[in-house]
Amino acid sequence: MLDLRMPVLDGVAATAELGRLGTRVLVLTTYDTDAEIERAIEAGAIGYLLKDTTRDQLVDAVRAAARGETVLAPRVAEKLVARMRRPEPAALTAREIEVLRAVADGLSNAEIGRRLVITEATVKTHLLRVFAKLDVGDRTHAVVVAMDRGLLAR
């Protein structure tokens, strides 16, 4: 059992390494974003629990994981099912990600244009495309959704 955020080696990397050694890993963390869940499961975690799990639930989960059963917190299972049911979002281009990263850095459209050597009108066009692809209506929400989906580093 391990957390996702640890000093030296993060939980996802530790999960992958332990999996290569044949050890089952049950994640116990506070992070319930789609990106964090997917990274842990893809790395081989047999389960994903949140730190609000009760002691009895935790004991049951450890036993189930030891038997090789997948264990997911109800909220995590709901997120995974919802993710599977929604269509795959349109991918952002490299330039759209650059523009969004600059937004996350707090730059104005004019400042983004200067940084990326493009016109302010081109910045606005990229942002409109990003908003449409992420199904958001403003810059702040675009950054939050992009971070949640793992498109921007935290």
Side-chain angles (χ1 to χ4, degrees), residues 12-31:
V12 172
T15 297
E17 184 61 32
L18 289 167
R20 282 190 281 281
L21 299 172
T23 302
R24 294 183 183 125
V25 175
L26 180 60
V27 171
L28 179 64
T29 189
T30 59
Y31 302 98

Side-chain angles (χ1 to χ4, degrees), residues 1 25 45-46 115:
M1 184 176 337
V25 175
I46 194 161
R115 177 189 279 185

Side-chain angles (χ1 to χ4, degrees), residues 21-114:
L21 299 172
T23 302
R24 294 183 183 125
V25 175
L26 180 60
V27 171
L28 179 64
T29 189
T30 59
Y31 302 98
D32 69 346
T33 64
D34 289 354
E36 298 289 351
I37 295 166
E38 288 177 23
R39 289 180 63 232
I41 299 299
E42 287 172 355
I46 194 161
Y48 197 105
L49 298 175
L50 302 174
K51 289 191 176 176
D52 62 357
T53 301
T54 67
R55 181 180 176 178
D56 290 340
Q57 291 169 329
L58 186 57
V59 169
D60 291 343
V62 169
R63 288 184 177 137
R67 292 189 301 269
E69 298 171 15
T70 300
V71 181
L72 299 172
R75 193 164 70 224
V76 170
E78 289 170 12
K79 282 180 171 271
L80 287 174
V81 169
R83 177 116 170 119
M84 296 298 296
R85 288 185 177 152
R86 71 179 171 247
E88 192 65 29
L92 298 182
T93 66
R95 182 58 111 185
E96 289 165 348
I97 291 173
E98 284 179 305
V99 169
L100 197 52
R101 190 171 289 122
V103 169
D105 289 343
L107 300 183
S108 68
N109 288 353
E111 292 167 325
I112 294 169
R114 284 192 294 276

